[in-house]
Each structure stands twice: as C-alpha cells, then as structure tokens.
C-alpha cells in the first residue's frame, strides 16, 4: 500500500508438500517478478475422493454440483474408474468417488522461497531469526513492533504466526484474542516403490478411512486425521522453531491399518520416516483472518487447519485487499476474526474443541450437525427449565439455543443419533410447533440475540445512528425501525431492529453472531470525545418470542392492558408489567411475519415471567418451540437473515428491502452514494423465493443451502437458505439469481421481468428439481390452509 510506511508480517512456513486447488491464485509452477522465475514444484496430479458409503457419495455429489458451476471440472465416477486412475488401490468396498482432474500438488518450502524471493525483489525487507517481543499500540492503533533486534515502526501488523499466533496475540500491549490450538499431526513417508509412482499419480482422499495418499519421490506420503488427536502446548510452552515431535507408532496404527487396507501392496514397502509435527486448528474448522476488533491496523491470518497452502493464495489475496481497500472483494464473514469473542479463547475450551475439530475434518457432516464439545458456555436463565421439558440444543456464538422440543412419547436417543441428507426424524415435531405458532401460541427463547443500548445527553445518539443506518430513525418514541448497517458499497454489515426508547436512547437488536463485529463497527465510527454511551446489554435481558394469534390473549391477561392492534400497533415498543414483574420491554414483532410479541425481560424476572406466560397460556394451547420452527416460518414468509441470505456484498435493493432505506431522510449515511448509483444502474442479482414443484419430501434428498440454481438450463446462482413450509406443504428455498451473459459470461442487470420469465431448477446432489420463482411472499396462501394440489403458484406476483 503506497500510503503505508511499512507492514511487518510474521511468517511461518512448513516444509510439507501439500495438495492445492488450481482455482486459488497460486496456479502456476513459477512466480515471476522483475524477470526472475522461481520454481514451486507445481505438478497437476488430479485428486480422487473416495466414498465407502451412500451418505458419503451424496456428500460428494453435493460438492460436485457446486464445483461444476464455478468452473472447476469434476465428476462422480465408479469404483472401476477409480481402479483405472490408480491401479494400486483396493476398490472392493467403494460405492463411488469424485474425480477432480485439475487438482495439483506443490512444495510448500519452494513456494515460501519463491514468494520471499519475489517480495525481496520488490523492495520488501525480510528479517529471519528475529523474535517479535510485542506489538506497540497507541490510542487503539498499531504504531510499531518491538523485536529482539530493535523497534520497527509500522501502520499495519499481520499475525500469521501459525501455532504461535495465540501467544503472539496475547503479547501485545493491548491483547488480541486469536482462538486456535495446536495438535500433533502425523504423516508417513516411504521409499520408492519397486516401480516408482509417476509424478502425476492422483492424490487420494479416503475420508471414510480417515487418510490421504499421494506420491512422494516415487513412494508414498500418507497421513490423516485420527479420531483421538493429541493436543499440545496447552500450557503455552511452545518451542521457538518448527521441529519434529517424537514418533508415536501406537497412535498412528489405525491410520496405517487404513492405508494398508486401501493399498495392500504397501505391506512390504520400506518406511522411511513417521513425521510428527505441530498443526493448528480453530474452534469451527475455518481459518481466521481479518482486522482485530480491539486494535486498528492489527490483522490476522492463521489457523489453517492443515490446509495452509491450499488456501494460502486466496486468503493472502483477500487479506491484502482488506488492508488496502478496507474490505475484501468476496464475502468471507465465515473466516472473519470477529465471528469469535474472547469467550472462545479459553485454553481449556480450545483444547477440548480441537480434539473434536481435527476428526471432523474427515467426518461425514450432514446438515444441521452441532459441535459436542465446549457446550453450555452461555445459557439463558431458562436453560434448565427448558431442558427438563425436552429441549434439544444448538450452539451459536457459544450460546445455547433450542432447536425443537421432544415430546414425552418420542425416543430421545433415536432423535439424537439421526443424521441424514433426507427427511429428518424431527420433521413431525417441528410441524406441530409450526402449527401451534399459526393456530394458538408458542414461546421461543431468543435470549442469544445481540442487544445494545445507545444513549447520549444531547442529540448525538440520533445523529450518529442516522449516519450509520440506512432507514430513518427519527421516529416517535416507542416506534421500532427495521434497518441495515451498511458499508461504503451499500452491503450489509448488520441487519437489525432499533427501538427508540426515549428522545436520546435507542435499543438495538442484532443477530447472535454480530456481538463482536457490530460492536467493533459502531466503536470505529463513533466520535471518541462525545457524550455517547454504547453499552452491550445482551446479558441483561432474556428474550421471549410469543408467536401466534393467541399471544395477544396471553399478554392481555398478564398485563391487564389492551394489546389489540388499535392500542398496540405493529412495530411498537413500550415498557410494561407482565405478571408481578415490571419494566418488561414488549415489542409487537416476531421476526417471522406471524402475529405476536417479543418480550425483553431483565434476567432476574426471567423465570417468573416464563412461568406466568406458560401458566396463563395453557387455556390457549401454548407450547415451547425452537429455532427450526422459526426458520420454517421466516423462510416461507420470505424473511432474509443476515449471515445466511444477507452479507457484506448484499445491498437492500438486491433483496427487496427498499422500504428499509430512506435515501432522502435529510442527511447522508454510509452506503447512500452506492445505493443511489445502484438505483440508477439496476441490480446485478436479486434475492428470490423458490418453491419446489416435483420434489417428494419423503423420498427425495432435501435442499439445505448452497444448491445451484438453473434458469432456462443455465447456471444463475445458488440457494442461501431453505426450509420445508408446512403451510405450502412444499420446500421453499431462498437464493440470489444472476443474469450471466451467454456470450461473455459477464453479469448483466436483473429485472423483475427477467426473474418472472425464467424456468427454474434447483440442483440437489446432481438431480434437478423444477421450482417456481417468486419475488414476493405468497401472502394469499396464509389466510387459510389449502391442500397443495389446489394451490396455483404460477401467476401469483404479490405486491
């Protein structure tokens, strides 16, 4: 970056050759700078991913469908074809495989040397054998680095120190939390075979056998991810340099047995070495990158989960864009450091979680799976009460949230062990919860939502929020505004609801995983010397969502106050008493489009209010419900959620949220110029609802998310979320439709007419299902329930 004085980057490279995908920026066998050529050992070998079970093959088919539409050639092949590609493999137990012919391998040591040499040729100064003591910070901004050879001034610091990143982050004057933990990682090297393997022999990934196999100098390099990993350095005692750890043949034996079953001819092959080296893993199996929420100019790129060079080129590019432009060119929220909080940095938590994460890299992950370790970290005051009533839990940002409630007559153990790509065993349970939400009243504990209060002594709170949010927040006291917190490109940094509590006080409700990101964004844009007060009150309030037509009756009895729309209009908030408890913030909204209320309850009153609601609600058929019911309700009403359907590259105009933007509210706001330009030029993608037509819920594979969308036989986008609609009795998917030119492949403007004129299919693991596209919710179908055979969807356009 020309404006930067210097950027100090802490780099650690491994000498282990790795398998890479050619679509990342590191594609060639050389890196050329200043007329010089640097070899990287790039060899295109292709890869074959094996499937021993039908479920694994389904997983590969889903991946194959996605690869094909992003320009990566791949195909599902038979065991016979696998044997032709790699004659030494035993294929008798396989049901199929996926072949990716353009995958390749490189030598990481050579790549590191090539990058370092090219950088040096362009004026970068490299200091080897130099220890970083700590990063210097002034007023929340990086100013330099203290090393054992003196100080270096810099505006930016990048912590890509691998297994040392956690401790390096804590060594700063203002610590930066980087949640990762090292485990021992084993791989085997053999001498060349009697007939040495060719350099282009395909790399084999046998995930069911937990191993990978590739050529190494005519012999075999084989490692894997065992079920019982060995975490190391939990106490923080880390070696200063990379060095191999002790061999452990007993520990490696299951992987060796798996290797010999897959390649029996290796039985007599001489083993050269069993390598044991440290490798770092993160709490959610995804790498960590981005700017620290605590220190400006402090960037992180670490926690590669044994895929450093596979992702290194792309990750490095996006981090460079982040530093230069302030944001990357792709949505990489799932990799952002700010998805974590300090709560995920406990060494005990990390030790236990990575023992689960490392095996999961090769475990079969069906939709809606949950981590089992590091649980009950953050819980609502109602946790034990709900658990005793059959709640099954999912975790979000460390917070326990109910998925659904198992009735007393259901087999709890069978439900917990149910894992499938097809119709899940909780289908009927969620159906009964959804039905109760529509016909009676349900209560959902939504305490995990992020909650902030912004107050000021003057008008500063309103002024800064008007600048930070797209909608007009200068509304009467008590009103609630749905709005977006946008970036300069008009994309969503946050999607939230804001209630005006008083003239100078606002209550902000955001998605659960926005707690760190949203706080950092607000603090970054708020004036330092002002009378503004930003307080995170997430832990202060238990949130209960009362959904259903009888919610008004329940609250009327408990509050002795009129709750009808005439007295309590939609999107209104006021403090009132519920039962014996006073000061409950009651809001007339449900996040689903159904009638009902949100109750924000001071935690000391939570159990009392919940008990009162459940007691009074008995006569109205009340029951508990979970997030699976919430998901079904919101998707069939075309409600998009941030982090699933909305992201930093999605604008309100692209998802039908023009009503949440006030371009002429009397003052500028972040993203306004981009939206004005987009309004003039048109949008290049459009969030669309798809209702599957020829899909058999009982027999066919289910859509979950990420399925390719085809318009008139041509790829047009992918789904972002989906759910079964118990009202429509069909599956509903949400996803963005693009208009790719058939001649150039470039994106063109997407109009409503373009959407409506198309014939659509959703690709689920290679099978395409017909779908009806809608730009508006099918509201007329929710007035009363009809059988799906009587529902005509083709000419409903809504308003």
């Amino acid at each position: 970056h020309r404006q930067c004085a210097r950027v100090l980057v802490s780099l650690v490279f491994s000498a282990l050759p790795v398998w890479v995908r050619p679509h990342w920026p590191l594609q060639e066998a050389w890196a050329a700078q200043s007329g010089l050529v640097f070899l990287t050992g790039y060899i295109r070998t292709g890869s074959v991913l094996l499937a021993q079970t039908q479920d694994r093959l389904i997983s590969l088919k889903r991946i194959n469908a996605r690869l094909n539409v992003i320009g990566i050639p791949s195909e599902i092949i038979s065991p016979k074809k696998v044997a032709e590609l790699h004659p030494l493999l035993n294929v008798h137990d396989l049901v199929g495989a996926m072949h990716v012919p353009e995958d390749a391998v490189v030598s990481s040591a050579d790549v590191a040397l090539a990058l370092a040499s090219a950088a040096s040729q362009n004026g970068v100064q490299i200091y080897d054998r130099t220890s970083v003591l700590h990063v210097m910070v002034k007023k929340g901004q990086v100013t330099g680095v203290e090393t054992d050879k003196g100080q270096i001034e810099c505006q930016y610091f990048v912590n890509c120190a691998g297994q040392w990143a956690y401790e390096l982050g804590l060594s700063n004057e203002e610590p930066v939390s980087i949640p990762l933990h090292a485990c021992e990682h084993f791989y085997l090297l053999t001498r060349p075979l009697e007939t040495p393997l060719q350099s282009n022999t395909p790399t084999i990934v046998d995930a069911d056998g937990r191993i990978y196999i590739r050529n190494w100098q005519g012999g075999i390099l084989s490692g894997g991810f065992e079920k019982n990993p060995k975490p190391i350095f939990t106490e923080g005692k880390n070696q200063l340099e990379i060095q191999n750890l002790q061999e452990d043949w007993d520990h490696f034996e299951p992987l060796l047995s798996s290797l010999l079953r897959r390649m029996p001819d290796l039985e007599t092959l001489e083993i050269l070495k069993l390598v044991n080296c440290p490798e770092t893993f993160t709490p959610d199996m995804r790498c960590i990158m981005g700017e620290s929420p605590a220190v400006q100019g402090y960037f992180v790129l670490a926690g590669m989960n044994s895929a450093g060079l596979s992702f290194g080129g792309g990750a490095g590019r996006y981090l460079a864009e982040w530093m230069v432009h302030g944001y990357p060119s792709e949505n990489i929220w799932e990799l952002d450091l700010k998805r974590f909080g300090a709560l995920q940095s406990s060494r005990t938590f990390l030790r236990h979680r990575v023992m689960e994460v490392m095996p999961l890299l090769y475990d079969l992950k069906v939709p809606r799976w949950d981590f089992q370790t590091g649980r009950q970290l953050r819980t609502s005051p109602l946790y034990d009460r709900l658990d005793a009533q059959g709640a099954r839990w999912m975790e979000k940002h460390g917070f326990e949230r109910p998925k659904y409630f198992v009735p007393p007559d259901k087999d709890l153990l069978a439900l917990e062990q149910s894992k499938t790509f097809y119709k899940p065993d909780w289908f009927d349970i969620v159906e009964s919860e959804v039905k109760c939400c529509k016909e009676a009243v349900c209560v959902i504990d939504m305490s995990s939502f992020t909650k902030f209060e912004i107050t000021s002594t003057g008008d500063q709170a309103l002024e800064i929020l008007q600048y930070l949010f797209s909608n007009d927040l200068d509304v009467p006291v008590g009103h609630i505004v749905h709005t977006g917190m946008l970036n300069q490109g008009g994309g969503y940094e946050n999607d939230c609801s804001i209630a005006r509590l008083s003239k100078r006080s606002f209550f902000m409700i955001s998605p659960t995983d926005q707690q760190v990101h949203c706080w950092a964004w607000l603090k970054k844009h708020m004036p330092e010397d002002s009378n503004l007060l930003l307080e995170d009150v997430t832990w202060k309030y238990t949130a209960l969502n009362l959904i259903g037509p009888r919610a008004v009756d329940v609250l009327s009895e408990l509050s002795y106050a009129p709750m009808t729309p005439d007295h309590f209009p939609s999107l209104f908030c006021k403090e009132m008493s519920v039962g014996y408890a006073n000061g409950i913030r009651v809001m007339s909204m449900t996040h689903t489009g159904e009638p009902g209320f949100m109750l924000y309850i001071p935690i000391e009153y939570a159990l009392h209010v919940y008990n009162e609601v459940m007691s009074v609600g008995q006569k109205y058929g009340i029951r508990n419900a979970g997030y699976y019911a919430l998901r079904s309700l919101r998707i069939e009403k075309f409600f998009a959620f941030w982090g699933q359907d909305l992201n930093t590259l999605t604008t309100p105009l692209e998802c039908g949220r023009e009503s949440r933007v006030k371009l002429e509210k009397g003052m500028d706001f972040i993203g306004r110029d981009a939206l004005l330009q987009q309004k003039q030029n048109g949008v290049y993608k459009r969030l669309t609802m798809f209702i599957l037509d020829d899909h058999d819920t009982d027999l066919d594979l289910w859509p979950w998310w990420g399925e390719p969308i085809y318009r008139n036989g041509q790829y047009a986008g992918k789904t972002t979320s989906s759910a079964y609609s118990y009202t429509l009795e069909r599956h509903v998917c949400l996803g963005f439709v693009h208009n790719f030119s058939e001649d150039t492949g470039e994106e063109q403007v997407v109009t409503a007419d373009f959407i409506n004129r198309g014939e659509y299919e959703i690709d689920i693991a290679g099978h395409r299902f017909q779908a009806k596209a809608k730009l508006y919710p099918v509201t007329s179908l929710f007035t009363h329930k009809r059988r799906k055979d009587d529902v005509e969807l083709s000419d409903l356009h809504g308003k």
Side-chain angles (χ1 to χ4, degrees), residues 174-460:
E174 296 186 25
V176 173
S177 174
I178 306 172
L180 48 77
H181 196 290
C183 286
E184 296 184 25
H185 182 54
F186 299 85
Y187 62 94
L188 188 72
L189 299 173
T190 75
R191 295 198 181 279
L193 278 68
E194 184 174 345
T195 302
L197 290 179
Q198 298 298 309
S199 60
N200 61 351
T201 301
T203 295
I204 303 299
V205 178
D206 183 2
D208 294 315
R210 315 197 69 83
I211 58 170
Y212 57 84
I213 310 167
R214 54 148 295 191
N215 168 61
W216 184 75
Q217 297 181 6
I220 292 294
L221 183 155
S222 179
F225 299 97
E226 62 273 24
K227 291 184 178 181
N228 56 333
K230 299 171 66 176
I232 48 176
F233 310 138
T234 303
E235 304 83 0
K237 298 175 181 177
N238 207 332
Q239 75 270 21
L240 294 178
E241 297 183 2
I242 288 180
Q243 59 190 39
N244 289 335
L245 305 172
Q246 291 184 348
E247 293 182 346
D248 190 337
W249 284 101
D250 290 338
H251 188 79
F252 189 73
E253 192 278 332
L255 299 183
L256 178 60
S257 296
S258 184
L259 170 63
L260 294 176
R261 283 194 298 271
R262 187 56 58 209
M263 297 182 68
D265 290 348
L266 298 185
E267 185 76 41
T268 59
L269 192 63
E270 182 180 354
I271 294 173
L272 181 64
K273 190 176 186 181
L274 176 63
V275 179
N276 178 7
C277 58
E279 181 59 77
T280 52
F281 300 88
T282 63
D284 60 1
M285 296 186 293
R286 299 192 295 265
C287 76
I288 300 173
M289 62 188 302
E291 188 173 17
S292 162
V295 181
Q296 291 189 38
Y298 192 112
F299 285 81
V300 177
L301 183 52
M304 289 296 184
N305 300 281
S306 196
L309 267 187
S310 298
F311 301 135
R317 169 188 168 182
Y318 295 139
L319 189 72
E321 292 173 346
W322 210 327
M323 297 172 67
V324 174
H325 304 299
Y327 51 87
S329 59
E330 297 288 341
N331 171 50
I332 53 174
W333 163 248
E334 290 187 339
L335 311 179
D336 196 324
L337 171 64
K338 292 183 283 294
R339 72 187 187 271
F340 295 119
L343 58 95
Q344 282 106 347
S345 288
S346 155
R347 292 303 277 175
T348 304
F349 166 81
L350 290 171
R351 180 181 177 88
H352 292 173
R353 176 55 69 85
V354 297
M355 291 177 70
E356 179 183 11
V357 163
M358 188 172 170
L360 276 172
L361 292 175
Y362 274 3
D363 278 353
L364 182 66
K365 292 175 283 296
V366 298
R368 308 279 177 91
W369 61 273
D370 300 294
F371 287 110
Q372 301 301 309
T373 56
R375 299 296 296 270
Q376 300 183 35
L377 187 59
R378 306 173 73 192
T379 61
S380 157
L382 305 177
Y383 178 86
D384 289 340
R385 184 87 163 83
L386 300 179
D387 194 63
Q389 297 179 76
R392 295 301 93 198
W393 302 95
M394 60 191 292
E395 175 259 332
K396 188 78 167 181
H397 199 60
F399 218 117
E400 298 293 332
R401 311 197 301 184
K403 297 187 288 188
Y404 51 79
F405 287 77
V406 180
D409 59 335
K410 287 284 185 179
D411 186 342
L412 176 61
L413 184 60
L415 277 169
E416 287 297 284
Q417 294 177 343
S418 172
K419 297 180 178 180
T420 180
F421 291 100
Y422 291 89
K423 179 181 178 180
D425 288 343
W426 44 256
F427 181 88
D428 294 337
I429 295 176
V430 175
E431 179 181 26
S432 62
E433 293 180 4
V434 168
K435 182 178 180 180
C436 187
C437 287
K438 290 183 171 292
E439 299 178 1
V441 57
C442 276
V443 58
I444 303 179
D445 185 351
M446 298 178 63
S447 303
S448 67
F449 272 28
T450 296
K451 299 172 279 288
F452 294 150
E453 286 184 4
I454 303 103
T455 59
S456 63
T457 55
D459 295 330
Q460 299 96 330

Side-chain angles (χ1 to χ4, degrees), residues 67-142:
L67 292 181
N68 285 335
V69 296
I70 61 174
I72 300 178
S74 66
E75 62 176 335
I76 299 298
I77 60 176
S78 66
K80 182 180 178 180
K81 180 65 174 177
V82 173
E84 293 174 2
L85 291 170
H86 202 308
L88 294 180
L89 292 185
N90 176 9
V91 300
H92 79 278
D93 59 343
L94 301 181
V95 297
M98 182 174 73
H99 181 213
V100 187
E102 293 186 2
D103 275 0
V105 295
V106 294
S107 165
S108 57
D110 291 340
V111 169
L113 180 61
L115 292 173
S117 299
S120 181
Q121 291 292 325
N122 280 271
V124 172
Q125 298 179 33
I126 298 175
Y127 299 88
D128 59 357
R129 300 195 176 277
T130 302
S131 298
V132 175
L133 304 180
H134 68 272
V135 179
M136 299 180 291
V137 178
K138 185 176 182 180
K139 295 183 178 180
Q141 169 71 49
V142 168

Side-chain angles (χ1 to χ4, degrees), residues 568-630:
F568 207 123
S570 178
L571 294 180
F572 195 75
C573 169
K574 62 181 176 181
E575 290 194 355
M576 54 195 298
S577 61
V578 177
Y580 296 152
N582 201 8
I584 310 301
R585 291 177 181 169
V586 180
M587 301 185 183
S588 50
M589 66 177 190
T590 62
H591 301 286
T592 65
E594 301 294 332
F597 302 90
M598 286 293 305
L599 278 60
Y600 288 91
I601 310 160
I603 57 171
E604 62 267 31
Y605 300 141
L607 192 57
H608 167 75
V609 172
Y610 173 79
N611 289 337
E612 290 293 295
V613 166
M614 295 301 289
S615 177
V616 169
Q618 292 304 311
K619 69 181 77 170
Y620 302 109
I622 198 169
R623 64 176 293 171
N624 293 299
Y627 272 76
Y628 284 7
L630 185 81

